[in-house]
Amino acid sequence: MTEQVVDRAVFENLKAMMGEDFIGELIDVYFEDTPLLIAEMRKALSIQDTEVFRRAAHSVKSNSANFGAMQLSMLARELEMMGKDGKIEAAVPKLERLEVEFQKVQLVLKDLENGH
Amino acid sequence: MGTRRLANEAGRILVVDDNKVNRLLLARGLEQQGHSVSIAENGRRAMEVLQAGNFDLILLDLQMPEMDGYQVLEQLTKDLELRNIPVIITSAVEELDEVARCIEMGAEDYLTKPLNPILLKARIGSSLEKKRLRDQQRELIRKFATSEVADELLEKGFTLGGQFVDASAMFSDIRSFTTIAESQSPADTIELLNTYYTLMFEAIGNHRGIVNQMVGDGLMAIFGAPLPQEDHCKQAVLAALEMIELIDLFNCDQAAQGKAQIRIGIGIASGQMIAGYTGTLSRATYTCVGDTVNLAARLETHTKIVGEPILIDETTQVHLNRSIQTIEHEPVQLKGKTQVVKIFSVPTGQEVSI
């Protein structure tokens, strides 16, 4: 299960690049930033601002891919595409799936950070 | 060997990304590799940071608020100084179409996110190396061309690799310089040489020539390379006339101060020559070689015999199309030439319509 949520190879790459000490700090920023981006997407959805929606989804996609959270990144990408096409009316269920996926990613990353 | 040196070369890098995680990740990753890193959260901020600082490389995200990556690239190409800094686009895999557009716009390379540390290191190393070579080239141009010509060269682009060019070569030196040097103090001699070179650079630069060699009291200049120039023959002769005029003015000044006066001799020959960047990595110059160049040097020496300050060869004379008055002299047998050559002097002080 863990393998599906976060791709270990990508995560290890990231760790090698950032250094052992710094990876925790980066994960913290990611954990702080993502809920803000999700909130932004929700707000954009309520006022039908496709551009803000697209941009926030783009950031979630990019950030998640850095950590190897590929499922999450894919979901964000699909939402980004909806924003790009200007059709975000039907985005709510997907956004909810993204939130659930983010919670899973958080658990796995915390585990990995602690060296499990 | 080469790769190791590349990897060790530290640079000043600007990371432009609106995404905090990406910024942190890149900044930290690059610092780990020994580089010094600055960050900007959008294009507008990036331009401010770039104007204020000195950078070797830019890592640029495409999608950003306020001013996106494309707009940054566009601004960079317009700026004579900044466009020398290589740009690596950082993008998602699915944005590769857009990356192609960026490379057409002048970006050096790209990296896909999530970043691969080995690729990151390799691409950064190679871009920094390119920047280093470009800086070296710019430095070189600044030394052999006046700033106007240098700017034009940098703006239009040029090749320093060996190639055939159609150009005019000019040699000039001071008559009886040794005698002058013996008659005055060393300080006066050096001051005299510096004034002389300043005046000659001025005249040559005014006609879009470049001075590529200075030896003692002599210099060599090229018209028509590395920047192609349709009327290089005429420009070279006009420069020669201006040089004589400036020397005359200088002499008036010297005479008024009771100082030594100088006379110069100039030889010009035109035609095909081999142009290129020669020397070693640490010391090199742009130069032209070939028969035409040798002929120009011989003509310069020959001015002493003919007693005229400016001598030109037949090719140069023909290309003047009578726009400048010339006088044909007795053909001469010059050193290194099997046949006699036609030579022409250019009367000084003549009015020339341009």
Side-chain angles (χ1 to χ4, degrees), chain A residues 22 54 61-63 66, chain B residues 19 22 28 63 94-95 114:
Chain A
F22 197 73
R54 185 194 63 78
K61 173 193 77 175
S62 172
N63 286 350
N66 282 326
Chain B
N19 186 316
N22 278 333
R28 177 64 183 175
Q63 300 193 21
E94 64 267 23
E95 292 169 345

Side-chain angles (χ1 to χ4, degrees), chain B residues 31-316:
Chain B
E31 277 165 3
Q32 287 274 89
Q33 296 182 2
H35 305 293
S36 67
V37 183
S38 300
I39 51 178
E41 62 278 9
N42 60 52
R44 189 187 50 72
R45 182 78 194 114
M47 293 310 297
E48 286 169 12
V49 174
L50 283 167
Q51 296 292 353
N54 207 351
F55 290 93
D56 298 314
L57 179 65
I58 303 167
L59 289 191
L60 183 65
D61 180 30
L62 288 181
Q63 300 193 21
M64 291 178 294
E66 292 203 51
M67 185 177 178
D68 67 17
Y70 299 106
Q71 288 168 301
V72 173
L73 270 178
E74 224 174 80
Q75 296 263 316
L76 290 178
T77 359
K78 283 188 204 149
D79 189 305
L80 220 55
E81 289 302 317
L82 296 181
R83 73 163 173 210
N84 191 41
I85 308 174
V87 177
I88 296 181
I89 302 294
T90 56
S91 75
V93 184
E94 64 267 23
E95 292 169 345
L96 283 185
D97 286 355
E98 295 168 56
V99 167
R101 201 180 123 202
C102 292
I103 291 190
E104 277 169 25
M105 285 174 75
E108 189 81 48
D109 209 338
Y110 72 97
L111 280 163
T112 53
K113 292 184 255 193
L115 296 161
N116 172 312
I118 295 162
L119 269 183
L120 177 71
K121 193 166 184 161
R123 298 235 161 113
I124 300 264
S126 114
S127 287
L128 285 175
E129 176 66 7
K130 278 183 200 151
K131 167 69 164 46
R132 203 179 60 78
L133 287 174
R134 261 183 245 173
D135 282 351
Q136 221 174 46
Q137 229 174 48
R138 281 167 71 94
E139 185 57 30
L140 187 79
I141 294 166
R142 295 265 176 235
K143 278 185 192 144
F144 71 58
T146 57
S147 57
E148 292 80 18
V149 176
D151 284 348
E152 191 169 347
L153 278 170
L154 292 171
E155 194 178 332
K156 293 192 175 160
F158 58 94
T159 322
L160 286 180
Q163 58 177 347
F164 282 109
V165 294
D166 186 43
S168 296
M170 169 197 278
F171 282 84
S172 157
D173 80 355
I174 303 179
R175 293 281 158 266
S176 329
F177 186 70
T178 323
T179 324
I180 297 169
E182 280 165 0
S183 68
Q184 58 182 24
S185 74
D188 278 347
T189 300
I190 294 300
E191 198 196 317
L192 178 82
L193 271 180
N194 285 336
T195 314
Y196 159 71
Y197 276 127
T198 307
L199 295 174
M200 299 304 95
F201 261 77
E202 170 87 16
I204 291 162
N206 280 347
H207 297 278
R208 330 202 70 64
I210 58 158
V211 175
N212 71 314
Q213 277 185 35
M214 290 181 280
V215 181
D217 58 326
L219 63 81
M220 174 183 168
I222 305 166
F223 296 78
L227 208 63
Q229 199 178 1
E230 214 170 285
D231 59 344
H232 55 80
C233 294
K234 185 174 179 183
Q235 293 303 327
V237 174
L238 287 174
L241 286 169
E242 195 174 327
M243 285 157 77
I244 300 290
E245 211 174 293
L246 287 173
I247 291 292
D248 284 347
L249 288 172
F250 171 65
N251 280 338
C252 288
D253 221 45
Q254 290 283 100
Q257 294 178 52
K259 286 183 178 173
Q261 298 182 33
I262 55 172
R263 280 185 303 118
I264 61 169
I266 302 168
I268 299 169
S270 305
Q272 214 176 52
M273 49 189 90
I274 296 166
Y277 180 66
T278 60
T280 64
L281 258 183
S282 55
R283 189 177 164 81
T285 182
Y286 182 77
T287 198
C288 288
V289 291
D291 274 356
T292 312
V293 179
N294 295 340
L295 178 58
R298 303 269 181 252
L299 287 172
E300 185 267 307
T301 313
H302 201 64
T303 56
K304 293 170 206 165
I305 295 159
V306 183
E308 290 287 344
I310 307 170
L311 281 184
I312 64 176
D313 75 331
E314 191 181 4
T315 312
T316 310

Side-chain angles (χ1 to χ4, degrees), chain A residues 2-40:
Chain A
T2 306
E3 295 300 315
Q4 287 177 331
V5 179
V6 173
D7 183 328
R8 292 293 183 97
V10 176
F11 184 79
E12 288 306 320
N13 245 342
L14 180 68
K15 206 157 106 180
M17 190 159 58
M18 304 294 290
E20 198 91 23
D21 312 338
F22 197 73
I23 189 80
E25 195 178 321
L26 192 72
I27 289 175
D28 289 346
V29 172
Y30 175 59
F31 285 178
E32 281 164 27
D33 233 31
T34 309
L36 296 179
L37 289 167
I38 292 173
E40 209 170 297

Side-chain angles (χ1 to χ4, degrees), chain A residues 39-72:
Chain A
E40 209 170 297
M41 284 162 78
R42 281 211 172 280
K43 194 179 158 210
L45 206 54
S46 68
I47 56 169
Q48 291 291 303
D49 187 336
T50 55
E51 180 53 24
V52 168
F53 185 86
R54 185 194 63 78
R55 206 190 289 282
H58 175 83
S59 289
V60 174
K61 173 193 77 175
S62 172
N63 286 350
S64 306
N66 282 326
F67 292 94
M70 294 314 176
Q71 304 269 14
L72 181 54

